Amino acid sequence: MSALWSVGAGLLLLLLWVRHRGLEAVLVHHRWVFVCFFLLPLSILFDIYYQLRAWAVWRLHSAPRQHAQRVRHIQEQVREWKKEGSKRYMCTGRPGWLTVSLRVGKYKKTHKNIMINLMDVLEVDTERQVVRVEPLVSMGQLTAYLNPMGWTIPVVPELDDLTVGGLIMGTGIESSSHIYGLFQHTCVAYELVLADGSLVRCSPTENSDLFYAVPWSCGTLGFLVAAEIKMIPAKKYVKIHYEPVRGLQKICEKFTEESKKKENSFVEGLLYSLDEAVIMTGVLTDEAEQSKINRIGNYYKPWFFKHVEKYLKADRTGVEYIPSRHYYHRHTRSIFWELQDIIPFGNNPVFRYLFGWMVPPKISLLKLTQGEAIRKLYEQHHVVQDMLVPMKNLEKSIQTFHVDLNVYPIWLCPFILPNNPGMVHPKGNETELYVDIGAYGEPKSKQFEARASMRQMEKFVRSVHGFQMLYADCYMTREEFWDMFDGSLYHKLREQMNCKDAFPEVYDKICKAARH
């Protein structure tokens, strides 16, 4: 009882302090208070609900039976839209705050919302080595489902809450992408409900134009209702080798060299300054030295990027064995390094041991509660950007990031880009090695100004035939956007499938110049 009185007194004091300072001031300058006392507990409840739901669906084997019924409901909604005269564009009815993208789509308020409740694993085909899933299945959910069966998918993008639909309609990448390419390149088929209400399956051999046009289209060609993804056998551990490298030229040479080695199951780089980095290479294995096993995903463990930094500070190499699922989601607990700006003491051992099991807060809840003041603050003083550039331009690209942004750490992730049709492909006729340069945090560059600096970055990326991930703020004009991306197949299909009256163009959906 005394403990309850203590908690009650503490909450009362907290509320009095919030009232004294003002709610907006607390949310902006002491956001950790709101996150720790409200969003973390709420995030736990979200997780419990979705885990119980997934368990119930698995026990009852209800997903395949209900899938067809749910797809028919989507088709009925689209046909109803047509009967109403097709007066408004359509979009998914999923609230904008639930997506992992930092944007909150204002178009949801003016477009016809089509409710799509598809969040289950439908089928695991071990003979074909393919898993069929619905679009709202998350990476955390999928790996938890497949790993106990001895399977995984070739590319497992980092954060638990990333969904299959978002990774197909946008894009996704992981440190295995130097072998398998982007997430879209591991998919073998899509099922979509089109603007006329019809259900279509597409693959490299069936409706192939649509198959190659869907990735990066952001839901502007149809509603994704299922996807088939390649599977590979899972192994227990990732044997990871840490190597600190100093000097920008040496960093780029070493990273490029390791990215070209197919014997490396994983390649990743963390750049801690312009001339200091740790290059990590990993190999899947079922055997491990017990003394070197690091269960980095345990709640009380240091955040991964902080753990990696120890090798740089000590100037030593190292080898560890990380359980595979822990490795796949190694940046989840700290949301890469974004959480250090929200909970500055989050990596403190005391906090980790007492409250680490509640971390991270749901990105969707952070968006829902950020308010206009925080949104504007983040927009002007914070960047979350991934730029995909040819590996041959890595050194020049890092220098550009340093001058225009000066944000560290920087994430480096290599990937192969095949010369397939669609919005994103190399300039030449052959597969080319690219690298994702991820900058997340507060720019330290004195001349940083959100719009001007990002337009400068986008201009540079276009000049080297690179691409900007579309989840982030994009400041390009329409002409600049279609100079970066190949819209030939996309526009042809929008014309053929009567999408122009049904869905906005992808540029109008995601670019700031079109939305403001």
Side-chain angles (χ1 to χ4, degrees):
M1 185 63 72
S2 60
L4 288 175
W5 278 110
S6 299
V7 171
L11 287 174
L12 179 60
L13 289 172
L14 175 64
L15 291 172
L16 289 172
W17 178 71
V18 169
R19 184 179 178 183
H20 172 70
R21 293 297 305 272
L23 180 61
E24 184 170 307
V26 171
L27 290 177
V28 173
H29 301 293
H30 305 280
R31 199 177 184 198
W32 64 267
V33 174
F34 184 72
V35 170
C36 290
F37 285 95
F38 296 98
L39 292 195
L40 288 181
L42 198 56
S43 297
I44 292 294
L45 294 176
F46 259 62
D47 283 336
I48 291 172
Y49 166 74
Y50 282 112
Q51 287 172 9
L52 287 174
R53 185 193 178 283
W55 178 84
V57 167
W58 174 73
R59 291 290 295 176
L60 298 172
H61 304 286
S62 61
R65 293 194 304 273
Q66 293 183 355
H67 174 75
Q69 179 182 339
R70 289 171 178 162
V71 170
R72 284 195 295 272
H73 178 59
I74 294 167
Q75 291 178 282
E76 289 168 4
Q77 292 178 78
V78 173
R79 288 167 183 149
E80 184 64 29
W81 166 81
K82 286 179 65 69
K83 286 180 183 177
E84 292 171 354
S86 310
K87 296 175 182 177
R88 296 181 291 164
Y89 288 139
M90 291 183 289
C91 67
T92 65
R94 190 185 188 205
W97 60 268
L98 270 175
T99 64
V100 174
S101 166
L102 294 181
R103 287 191 308 273
V104 177
K106 295 180 180 179
Y107 59 86
K108 299 277 186 180
K109 297 177 182 178
T110 57
H111 293 185
K112 170 74 172 178
N113 282 216
I114 305 298
M115 301 310 298
I116 298 178
N117 183 28
L118 300 171
M119 57 181 72
D120 297 315
V121 178
L122 299 173
E123 179 186 3
V124 176
D125 188 334
T126 55
E127 288 189 12
R128 292 174 58 218
Q129 295 192 12
V130 165
V131 58
R132 182 168 172 253
V133 300
E134 293 179 329
L136 294 181
V137 168
S138 69
M139 289 299 99
Q141 177 187 353
L142 188 54
T143 54
Y145 192 95
L146 292 178
N147 289 172
M149 299 180 184
W151 295 96
T152 188
I153 55 175
V155 175
V156 184
E158 279 301 329
L159 303 179
D160 281 15
D161 290 342
L162 292 169
T163 63
V164 168
L167 295 167
I168 290 170
M169 290 297 184
T171 194
I173 193 170
E174 180 42 62
S175 53
S176 57
S177 289
H178 67 295
I179 298 174
Y180 299 105
L182 298 171
F183 187 84
Q184 69 201 57
H185 301 127
T186 68
C187 298
V188 296
Y190 309 127
E191 296 169 38
L192 297 100
V193 172
L194 303 184
D196 61 358
S198 61
L199 177 63
V200 172
R201 183 179 186 274
C202 58
S203 71
T205 57
E206 179 184 8
N207 297 310
S208 59
D209 277 358
L210 181 58
F211 177 79
Y212 290 116
V214 163
W216 296 76
S217 66
C218 297
T220 59
L221 292 173
F223 295 110
L224 184 71
V225 295
E228 295 177 23
I229 309 166
K230 295 176 187 175
M231 297 190 305
I232 59 174
K235 294 191 176 182
K236 293 180 181 178
Y237 301 100
V238 175
K239 181 183 180 181
I240 187 166
H241 178 261
Y242 303 91
E243 182 171 349
V245 185
R246 286 179 166 80
L248 182 56
Q249 185 177 347
K250 288 183 179 179
I251 290 169
C252 295
E253 288 173 355
K254 180 65 176 176
F255 186 76
T256 303
E257 176 190 337
E258 296 296 342
S259 300
K260 291 179 179 179
K261 293 179 181 177
K262 300 302 180 185
E263 59 266 32
N264 288 328
S265 305
F266 306 97
V267 179
E268 175 183 26
L270 291 184
L271 199 65
Y272 290 91
S273 71
L274 183 60
D275 57 1
E276 292 182 313
V278 178
I279 307 299
M280 289 160 280
T281 56
V283 178
L284 286 164
T285 178
D286 283 321
E287 306 296 330
E289 299 176 47
Q290 291 300 311
S291 62
K292 294 184 178 179
I293 293 176
N294 184 2
R295 303 183 189 281
I296 195 71
N298 287 348
Y299 70 88
Y300 52 83
K301 288 284 189 174
W303 291 345
F304 184 70
F305 79 98
K306 288 293 188 182
H307 172 68
V308 173
E309 192 176 18
K310 292 177 182 176
Y311 291 94
L312 182 66
K313 290 181 176 179
D315 197 23
R316 64 179 179 87
T317 60
V319 173
E320 288 183 328
Y321 294 83
I322 299 178
S324 294
R325 192 157 185 267
H326 288 226
Y327 177 82
Y328 289 138
H329 303 286
R330 63 199 178 281
H331 291 298
T332 292
R333 287 190 302 124
S334 56
I335 316 179
F336 281 86
W337 31 93
E338 287 279 65
L339 199 57
Q340 67 180 352
D341 291 335
I342 299 170
I343 308 177
F345 46 83
N347 194 49
N348 182 283
V350 175
F351 181 87
R352 292 201 314 266
Y353 275 89
L354 293 178
F355 305 107
W357 57 276
M358 302 174 76
V359 167
K362 290 286 184 187
I363 295 175
S364 54
L365 294 179
L366 289 171
K367 285 173 61 178
L368 180 64
T369 59
Q370 69 180 358
E372 191 64 18
I374 294 178
R375 189 191 67 77
K376 288 181 178 179
L377 191 70
Y378 264 61
E379 188 175 296
Q380 294 301 320
H381 304 286
H382 197 91
V383 295
V384 179
Q385 291 284 349
D386 284 86
M387 299 294 187
L388 315 180
V389 299
M391 184 68 80
K392 62 190 177 187
N393 300 113
L394 176 59
E395 185 173 349
K396 186 178 179 182
S397 300
I398 291 174
Q399 290 170 336
T400 302
F401 268 69
H402 179 77
V403 171
D404 290 342
L405 302 180
N406 194 8
V407 171
Y408 293 98
I410 282 177
W411 191 51
L412 301 178
C413 185
F415 69 99
I416 54 167
L417 186 61
N419 188 34
N420 293 336
M423 286 176 60
V424 171
H425 54 76
K427 192 173 185 178
N429 296 321
E430 298 180 359
T431 295
E432 186 172 349
L433 185 63
Y434 270 62
V435 57
D436 174 9
I437 304 177
Y440 324 118
E442 183 180 350
K444 300 298 190 293
S445 175
K446 292 180 180 179
Q447 66 264 33
F448 178 79
E449 191 280 320
R451 186 179 184 279
S453 298
M454 288 316 307
R455 280 191 53 75
Q456 187 69 21
M457 288 287 301
E458 291 165 349
K459 181 180 179 181
F460 167 78
V461 172
R462 290 196 306 275
S463 73
V464 297
H465 196 70
F467 308 95
Q468 180 180 23
M469 282 198 185
L470 301 183
Y471 74 87
D473 285 335
C474 172
Y475 294 85
M476 289 182 281
T477 65
R478 193 180 304 274
E479 292 72 26
E480 290 167 343
F481 182 85
W482 290 117
D483 180 43
M484 177 179 285
F485 297 98
D486 182 353
S488 54
L489 180 61
Y490 171 80
H491 290 302
K492 184 182 86 170
L493 283 178
R494 276 178 61 83
E495 191 74 43
Q496 287 179 358
M497 300 191 306
N498 298 317
C499 292
K500 290 188 174 182
D501 293 328
F503 308 104
E505 186 182 299
V506 62
Y507 174 81
D508 295 312
K509 195 170 182 180
I510 61 99
C511 283
K512 276 187 168 292
R515 292 184 286 123
H516 294 283

